[in-house]
Amino acid sequence: MTAVDLPAILGVQRLAYGDAYQETAEVLDAKRQRSPAACWVACDAHGLLGYVFAHDWPGAAPPPLHCPLPAVATAQCAFLHDLAVLPRAHGRGVGGALFAAVRQWALGARHEALNLVSLVGAVSYWQRCGFAPAAPADASAMAAYGDGACFMRLPLGR
């Protein structure tokens, strides 16, 4: 992923989430710059099909939405911030390939777990990927993710 991809990413984000969870190009680019080796796009001959943003994170609480991430001294976990795929690419393995790339990155970085916040409609998808609901260390941070959002964790056995 590069900064050049951001306009197309914003288009996929809008199709995936509507206006409810839009983050600005600046905020997304700050996430990309924080962990460039953990952010990817998937493309075909017609353009961008999907994207994933992941980054290191200190533990079992979700990071804030809509603002650049704070610096952290240590990051024992990885956080899958966002993964979205265009409707025309559903069922083609794009999401699975993006997730596999993040999982490999997290394993290579020797993170103890991969965490995410699932929106209400995607919990069963993430459970099929091995994630389980978990209690976040800061439950108040979940409010920004919307009703029914679920903090989830995938241990990565080192």
Side-chain angles (χ1 to χ4, degrees):
M1 179 187 295
T2 69
V4 172
D5 297 314
L6 290 171
I9 288 168
L10 290 172
V12 173
Q13 184 185 61
R14 185 161 308 284
L15 283 172
Y17 306 119
D19 293 328
Y21 296 101
Q22 293 300 302
E23 289 192 285
T24 66
E26 294 79 19
V27 167
L28 291 175
D29 199 41
K31 288 175 173 62
R32 180 190 65 81
Q33 289 179 46
R34 178 186 179 121
S35 293
C39 299
W40 291 275
V41 293
C43 301
D44 69 6
H46 303 288
L48 193 129
L49 296 172
Y51 65 85
V52 64
F53 286 89
H55 53 79
D56 54 356
W57 193 243
L65 282 177
H66 308 297
C67 59
L69 298 171
V72 295
T74 60
Q76 64 271 27
C77 294
F79 190 83
L80 195 160
H81 177 74
D82 188 17
L83 187 155
V85 175
L86 282 176
R88 71 178 175 88
H90 288 180
R92 293 174 48 189
V94 174
L98 290 167
F99 170 64
V102 169
R103 189 173 185 282
Q104 280 305 118
W105 164 77
L107 286 165
R110 302 187 49 77
H111 289 299
E112 67 185 38
L114 179 55
N115 299 323
L116 60 80
V117 174
S118 174
L119 300 183
V120 68
V123 171
S124 63
Y125 173 82
W126 293 115
Q127 286 175 319
R128 288 191 305 274
C129 292
F131 286 84
D138 179 5
S140 67
M142 292 294 295
Y145 290 88
D147 292 339
C150 180
F151 186 78
M152 302 184 83
R153 184 173 182 87
L154 174 64
L156 294 175
R158 297 193 247 179

